[in-house]
Amino acid sequence: QVQLVESGGDSVQAGGSLRLSCSVSEDTWKKSFSLSWFRQTPENEREGVATIDGDGAWVYADSVKGRFTISKDKDKKILYLQMNSLKPEDSGMYYCAAGRMSAFRVFQFRDRLDEWGQGTLVTVSS
């Protein structure tokens, strides 16, 4: 059973916006303390973009602060990533991830996250 399913990736022009969604299974929602977005390109390793935890804490990568917003809908069990003022360097495969650590530890200890989605592709052209 797939626990995390991303959607919303698309090709957009620089300056545009996208909203990514991650549908989370009920089981994963219940046992996870943090939900996160990561991205990866063929040239770079997977990097943390944004994360939010059960205490309401959130962390953003410096490169997306002020442009991206992470949020979650607990009734629908969906994690969102609103991306504004997109830049070509925001292009990549975006992954949703779930884990039991606090938001402040997710980026550093991403290898300890419990579950990952299959990804959704974002392409930003200049």
Side-chain angles (χ1 to χ4, degrees):
Q1 181 182 359
V2 179
Q3 309 296 338
L4 302 168
V5 180
E6 303 94 336
S7 62
D10 205 346
S11 296
V12 297
Q13 295 273 343
S17 297
L18 283 175
R19 188 178 76 161
L20 305 184
S21 299
C22 175
S23 180
V24 183
S25 72
E26 182 157 357
D27 182 59
T28 296
W29 191 274
K30 286 181 179 178
K31 68 183 183 183
S32 300
F33 186 65
S34 61
L35 293 170
S36 310
W37 288 99
F38 286 77
R39 67 186 179 194
Q40 187 169 18
T41 64
E43 299 80 21
N44 300 311
E45 65 179 17
R46 195 168 296 189
E47 64 172 349
V49 176
T51 184
I52 186 168
D53 69 21
D55 288 337
W58 63 86
V59 176
Y60 292 93
D62 288 342
S63 60
V64 306
K65 284 179 181 176
R67 300 188 298 122
F68 290 12
T69 303
I70 190 170
S71 63
K72 58 184 180 178
D73 185 321
K74 63 179 182 180
D75 293 325
K76 296 181 179 178
K77 296 180 179 54
I78 297 177
L79 177 72
Y80 298 104
L81 184 68
Q82 178 65 44
M83 306 188 295
N84 299 327
S85 302
L86 283 162
K87 304 176 181 179
E89 51 263 43
D90 293 320
S91 297
M93 188 70 79
Y94 281 69
Y95 298 91
C96 176
R100 286 168 283 182
M101 65 187 80
S102 75
F104 302 106
R105 297 169 60 85
V106 166
F107 289 0
Q108 182 180 2
F109 299 105
R110 61 183 181 271
D111 292 341
R112 301 182 189 178
L113 293 170
D114 297 321
E115 297 177 49
W116 293 83
Q118 297 300 303
T120 186
L121 183 63
V122 173
T123 304
V124 184
S125 57
S126 57

